Amino acid sequence: MESLGIIVAFYLLSAIAVGGAIGVFLASDLIRALAFLVLSFVATAGLFLTLSGDFIAIAQILIYAGAIPVLIVFAVMLAPLAGRNNGNGLYLVPGLALGAAVAVTVAFVAVDVEWNELSGALLAERDFATTANAIGNALVGRYVLAFEIASVLLLAALIGAIVLVREDEAT
Amino acid sequence: MSELNFEYGLLLPEFILVGAAAAVLMLDAFREDLRISRNLLPAITVLGALIAGVASLLFLDRDPTDFAQLIAVDDYTTFFRILFIATLIAIVLGSYEFVNRNITHQGEFYALLLASTIGAIYMAAARELLTAYISIELLSFSLYVGVSLAKTDTRSGEAGLKYVLLGGVASAMLLYGLSIIYGTTGATTYDGIAAALEDGVVGTPAFLLGLAFLVGGLGFKASAVPFHMWTPDAYEGAPLPITAYISATSKAATFALMLALFGIALDAAKADWQWMLASLAVATMVVGNLIAIQQSNIKRLLAYSSIGQVGFMLMAITTVSDASGSALLLHLAGYLITNLAVFIAVIAFYNRTGSEEIEDFRGLAETQPYLALVITTALFSLSGMPLLAGFVTKFVLFQAAAEEGFLWLATVAVIMSTVSLYYYLKVIRQMYVAEPADGDSRWRLSPIAYLTTGVLFLGIFLVGLWATPIFEAADGASAMLFG
């Protein structure tokens, strides 16, 4: 991270992402919580962009900020008996304590460690305009087996979803 | 990077399993048009599994090789291919009557079992983090659905929901851990991670954090205490064959993956994770066995007893070495045979009585002495009685742990094995001492139930009295990791 612009963008987007996540937690209405969730996802996509992950950023917007909230809205609207209440339950205090502990640990590690960074000349050496190419090649090249296992996984998930949702006629 | 090997023939057994799954699904969808009997579906499943089993034998004793460095195809993989395929066959044969009566969506049931077997095999074969992770998900997803398949039983839906939510959290933990490990080592292949560890990543805070998340995620999948909360509910709510499948294949696959991951990739970082796994092992052994004492439902009892067993297996991962590796494989084989014998006998019992309560086993020795004998033998074997499979495999396992300097851990394991005898005897007492309920007369088992329980019954004695062949196979397989 060299230029000031990137640094400002990074912290701004991080603040939006974390703020959105807190909003999900605080909003009392499920649909409002969902709106905060989308905000958080979009900011995360921006974070990917600052890391030169252009393909992942677009995929994040299409899938997490686009498709999944629509599904959740459908689920909430179609379930007439379910409440829209996003209230917090019994485990609020222990949950917060655990979350805080994890957050502090991760933050400590993130600050403490000297991460391997590609910057300056080293980064320029890699010279890529877009990551989509490399991801595509890895997916159906080197990692083709993982790709194929994923297809069986999706088939299983698809079958499962249909079987569980279908209403059985009386036999 | 050297040239990658993309020989698709190495994946032959899994292609056959996928083909069988597709065939079962399609035939089930057009069953009424084609006028085929329901029994054709389990028949095709078993046939496909048999062919896949024969196909895996083709790879026996060949030079170890790999597919694009993602999975290894060697004797270790072959060992688990045979083990998981045999488990699949036993469960399908042992439960098809149950399925005919209690499961509406049979084609999907068999297809999901086949798919999850593929996931289990690749968990054992994986030599790369992404492949390992996606295989875990394949197994888990099939089981999430499997657990909820008894749609008329409200417990089943509840169990499925709990399992999928907690499983999602665990997967997130696991992924986070894997990504941190990738971040610190710069490699996703097991060999690459091992090489990076030589250069001093060991003991850094980031690596430790990654390890902690990794152990937590895998601990959930293996149902180690304190990540075991889903186990009793999922076991109780799931249809019996799925419960049997979770307790057998899903456990064994997780341990096959852990053995390869900790044995190959993370061996150099032993000092960082040994204490984590040792404390998990102790907690798991103690909590699992002590809570099992209070259970009155046979599925919950077996759930806690299997948690206790997980503690013993974690001990083998803690002390990871060539000796404890082969001991773990032997123990897994013995445990699978024994556990399947219990479950298939319980399924046969449920088919007759429709009950899962331990007190309904009263007088089983009068009404169905053969089934009582099978259950008794298997439970004794689980607790580690001499002459039976459990004794030999536990003996080798505890000895390997003690030799690696974990005598205290082996001592806890022996004490907890004795505790386990208490709650197994509670079931046995119901069958032999209590009088049968009024009006219960003798009843017969179906021929297939006789066949499957009979084979497993003999297997328990075979491993107990003449373990040499399996021990040699386990030894050869484990040598692939540590050789």
Side-chain angles (χ1 to χ4, degrees), chain B residues 346-357:
Chain B
V346 172
I347 291 173
F349 174 79
Y350 181 87
N351 283 342
R352 164 78 188 185
T353 61
S355 165
E356 299 163 355
E357 296 303 313

Side-chain angles (χ1 to χ4, degrees), chain A residues 67-149:
Chain A
I68 288 182
V70 173
L71 273 184
I72 301 180
V73 169
F74 264 104
V76 174
M77 299 289 182
L78 286 179
L81 294 175
R84 299 264 173 93
N85 184 5
N86 187 33
N88 299 304
L90 208 55
Y91 296 103
L92 180 62
V93 176
L96 278 179
L98 186 68
V102 173
V104 169
T105 317
V106 173
F108 165 74
V109 170
V111 174
D112 185 60
V113 172
E114 295 245 334
W115 297 96
N116 284 326
E117 279 183 52
L118 279 182
S119 56
L122 272 175
L123 186 63
E125 215 172 81
R126 297 289 176 103
D127 184 37
F128 54 85
T130 162
T131 53
N133 234 338
I135 290 176
N137 276 331
L139 215 52
V140 289
R142 167 92 210 265
Y143 294 98
V144 65
L145 181 65
F147 187 70
E148 281 174 30
I149 301 175

Side-chain angles (χ1 to χ4, degrees), chain A residues 4-65:
Chain A
L4 187 67
I6 297 260
I7 294 174
V8 171
F10 179 82
Y11 282 107
L12 201 62
L13 288 167
S14 305
I16 297 176
V18 174
I22 293 175
V24 175
F25 179 71
L26 292 178
S28 58
D29 184 284
L30 210 47
I31 299 293
R32 286 196 186 150
L34 187 64
F36 277 115
L37 190 66
V38 174
L39 184 68
S40 182
F41 281 151
V42 173
T44 317
L47 281 178
F48 286 134
L49 270 184
T50 64
L51 298 170
S52 321
D54 55 350
F55 181 78
I56 298 197
I58 300 299
Q60 166 89 5
I61 288 183
L62 282 180
I63 296 167
Y64 284 96

